[in-house]
Amino acid sequence: MSDTYQFGMLGVGVMGRNLAWNIADHGYTVSVWNRELDMLDDVLAQHPGKLHGTRTLEEFVASLERPRRIMLMITAGKPVDMVIDALEPLLEAGDIVIDGGNSWFEDTQRREARLTAKGMNFFGVGVSGGEDGARFGPSMMPGGKAEAYERIRPILEAIAAKTDSGPCVTHVGPDGAGHFVKMVHNGIEYADMQFIAEAYDLLRRLGGFDPPTLAKTFAAWNQGPLESFLIEITGKVFEVKDPRGDGWLIDRVLDKAGQKGTGRWTAQIALELGVSIPSIAAAIDARVLSSMKDARVAAAGVLHGPAAPPAVGDPAALAASIHDALHAAKIVAYAQGMALIRAGSDKFSWGISMREMARIWKGGCIIRARFLDTIMKAYERNPELPNLLLDEAIRGQVHAAQGAWRDVVGLAQRHGIPVPAMASSLAYFDSYRTASLPQNLTQAQRDAFGAHTYQRNDAPEEGFVHTDWLP
């Protein structure tokens, strides 16, 4: 190997090592360092000669060609700042530090400003696709200076997933834009997973579908408009038998879902920006409620649902309706997520291309799906589209599915089966298409008890007025 290396990977956990191997596979020389040297030695031994290992941070930095390109794949939060503290004295003007973890975008903005002041460059890069994506082709969302991006673009394009629309990476925008988009991606992922869980629950409890039938159903769904990574792996999950005995492994999995925080961040910034994302919020709530296992078991003994719910007809017809409900709900969640990205871009002057976000999600990432091609084309028709539901092709799909969608949500409620995300998506759709909402009463109440004022709909130009409503 050469005396200097073209790229540095700091942190060789599962994601870091897989990305480093991916980069090396594409002809770039890679130097690596890890605080835990035993882990470093193990990674180097797995593919002898593929990576150059260094024993100290100083040796690692010195091993890289200038200007240096260093990617951090470490735990988000304080560890990133600690590593930057240690790196900064060793770096020079023009060097590029890349944070590939799931960092809060405001932390990325702060770090970018800090290194910019020293003449260096900092990129926050969202990386999606899990360990397999990192190894063989992720979707990546880099945010940082456009001119510095040209120094890392060839490497990122080489290792990214590829579709018929090109490599699944693009310069998202300045400073925190990349991590913001990755955060919203994860919020959409939360919603998508919850929709699928609700569909599974309905098929199992109302249709009596066993795991083999569920596997066949999801495999069939993956051949049509629902085609996606999540639908594909869901079908495969139902095929796995319990290695400890008879039956299927899915029936032995405890119904408590975890979360790492990006979904919560999505809901938090949506509130701050005034963007409605009820499907994503419902998915977060569903995970929180699932964690209350002991409380739910106790409540199940004393709280009762409908006494005599109506009978369900043909299972095949039920599955067809649930398919359409899942499709419509999914479209609405994407509409919410894309609206949030646009609001963030406007707020922080990032200039994000909505078409490009749909394009780079077509491959590599967790939410990759056939529908993203439809979204991409919608933004090609109108780059300033304020909401995906307003696109003619997309609203046509929702209109075609809404009858089944309403039937499924109603059926679930009549049987006492929770479908919080599907129902929230439907409520969003109905609210968004309603010209006059009942919040005129809400505003009147606010003025009545707190003199918060209101506007008259027949004279909005008068501005805000107050009335003494109560005698």
Side-chain angles (χ1 to χ4, degrees):
M1 284 191 170
S2 61
D3 293 329
T4 58
Y5 298 84
Q6 294 168 301
F7 196 86
M9 183 64 68
L10 194 158
V12 291
V14 173
M15 292 293 287
R17 72 184 67 175
N18 282 358
L19 282 169
W21 288 332
N22 189 354
I23 294 168
D25 285 344
H26 286 84
Y28 293 94
T29 56
V30 183
S31 182
V32 296
W33 180 75
N34 196 76
R35 186 177 297 276
E36 294 80 18
L37 295 180
D38 289 346
M39 181 185 292
L40 175 64
D41 290 337
D42 177 66
V43 169
L44 294 174
Q46 289 185 46
H47 295 283
K50 184 181 283 286
L51 306 175
H52 172 71
T54 56
R55 312 304 288 180
T56 67
L57 187 60
E58 290 77 8
E59 180 188 354
F60 170 68
V61 173
S63 72
L64 300 172
E65 69 177 22
R66 295 171 173 79
R68 301 175 180 90
R69 293 171 288 195
I70 299 173
M71 189 171 204
L72 315 182
M73 287 304 295
I74 58 178
T75 304
K78 187 176 180 181
V80 177
D81 288 314
M82 293 173 64
V83 167
I84 292 174
D85 288 343
L87 270 177
E88 187 180 307
L90 306 176
L91 300 179
E92 301 171 353
D95 288 348
I96 301 172
V97 178
I98 305 162
D99 176 12
N102 277 332
S103 290
W104 173 236
F105 79 96
E106 290 183 347
D107 287 341
T108 303
Q109 291 178 309
R110 170 176 54 80
R111 292 163 184 153
E112 197 270 345
R114 168 185 172 177
L115 291 188
T116 293
K118 299 294 179 66
M120 304 166 195
N121 298 286
F122 186 82
F123 276 80
V125 178
V127 180
S128 181
E131 56 185 277
D132 284 345
R135 183 67 184 91
F136 302 110
S139 172
M140 290 175 288
M141 295 144 260
K145 288 186 175 61
E147 56 272 23
Y149 179 66
E150 290 305 308
R151 287 281 303 147
I152 61 175
R153 178 183 57 78
I155 297 177
L156 298 187
E157 288 185 352
I159 68 172
K162 310 296 190 301
T163 73
D164 58 356
S165 298
C168 294
V169 61
T170 191
H171 180 240
V172 175
D175 55 75
H179 274 147
F180 186 95
V181 168
K182 175 56 163 57
M183 172 194 69
V184 178
H185 164 285
N186 286 18
I188 296 171
E189 177 186 315
Y190 271 53
D192 209 349
M193 293 175 70
Q194 179 62 26
F195 295 142
I196 293 171
E198 292 172 11
Y200 149 70
D201 200 26
L202 291 168
L203 290 168
R204 180 174 59 92
R205 293 170 65 178
L206 295 182
F209 286 37
D210 60 10
T213 306
L214 287 164
K216 292 178 182 177
T217 300
F218 277 84
W221 286 0
N222 199 48
Q223 303 304 310
L226 284 178
E227 179 186 350
S228 65
F229 172 72
L230 286 172
I231 292 291
E232 177 186 356
I233 67 167
T234 300
K236 293 178 178 178
V237 162
F238 293 129
E239 296 176 343
V240 179
K241 292 186 177 181
D242 185 357
R244 298 188 185 180
D246 296 334
W248 305 92
L249 186 56
I250 185 63
D251 294 328
R252 300 277 71 84
V253 178
L254 186 66
D255 57 328
K256 292 173 65 173
Q259 53 182 311
K260 293 186 176 180
T262 49
R264 184 181 70 251
W265 289 347
T266 308
Q268 175 183 329
I269 194 63
L271 285 172
E272 292 179 11
L273 295 178
V275 178
S276 178
I277 57 165
S279 305
I280 297 171
I284 298 167
D285 287 342
R287 293 196 187 191
V288 173
L289 277 163
S290 78
S291 71
M292 301 163 54
K293 178 66 174 180
D294 293 341
R296 289 188 291 110
V297 170
V302 296
L303 299 177
H304 305 292
V312 176
D314 178 23
L318 174 67
S321 293
I322 293 173
H323 169 282
D324 287 356
L326 178 56
H327 182 51
K330 178 188 182 84
I331 290 172
V332 170
Y334 274 95
Q336 294 168 20
M338 300 308 269
L340 181 55
I341 291 175
R342 181 175 293 283
S345 180
D346 291 344
K347 169 71 174 178
F348 300 106
S349 302
W350 284 329
I352 295 175
S353 166
M354 304 303 293
R355 184 260 186 196
E356 279 291 274
M357 297 310 97
R359 184 190 68 77
I360 66 173
W361 288 348
K362 285 178 61 177
C365 70
I366 302 301
I367 64 170
R368 59 186 184 266
R370 178 188 295 189
F371 179 62
L372 282 157
D373 198 55
T374 304
I375 296 177
M376 189 177 76
K377 291 175 181 176
Y379 286 117
E380 288 174 357
R381 286 188 288 270
N382 180 5
E384 302 305 318
L385 187 67
N387 191 294
L388 283 175
L389 294 175
L390 300 179
D391 177 75
E392 183 177 0
I394 290 175
R395 71 173 180 260
Q397 293 184 31
V398 176
H399 287 161
Q402 73 167 309
W405 187 15
R406 295 182 189 282
D407 288 344
V408 167
V409 171
L411 184 66
Q413 292 175 343
R414 289 193 296 274
H415 282 260
I417 298 174
V419 287
M422 283 189 185
S424 292
S425 279
L426 182 56
Y428 176 93
F429 173 71
D430 283 336
S431 294
Y432 190 66
R433 66 174 188 81
T434 299
S436 297
L437 291 168
Q439 275 62 49
N440 58 324
L441 176 58
T442 303
Q443 196 63 12
Q445 291 171 326
R446 294 180 72 243
D447 190 46
F449 68 66
H452 293 293
T453 72
Y454 63 96
Q455 291 175 284
R456 293 185 61 95
N457 58 20
D458 58 351
E461 69 281 356
E462 293 181 5
F464 289 88
V465 297
H466 168 64
T467 296
D468 291 326
W469 297 84
L470 307 177

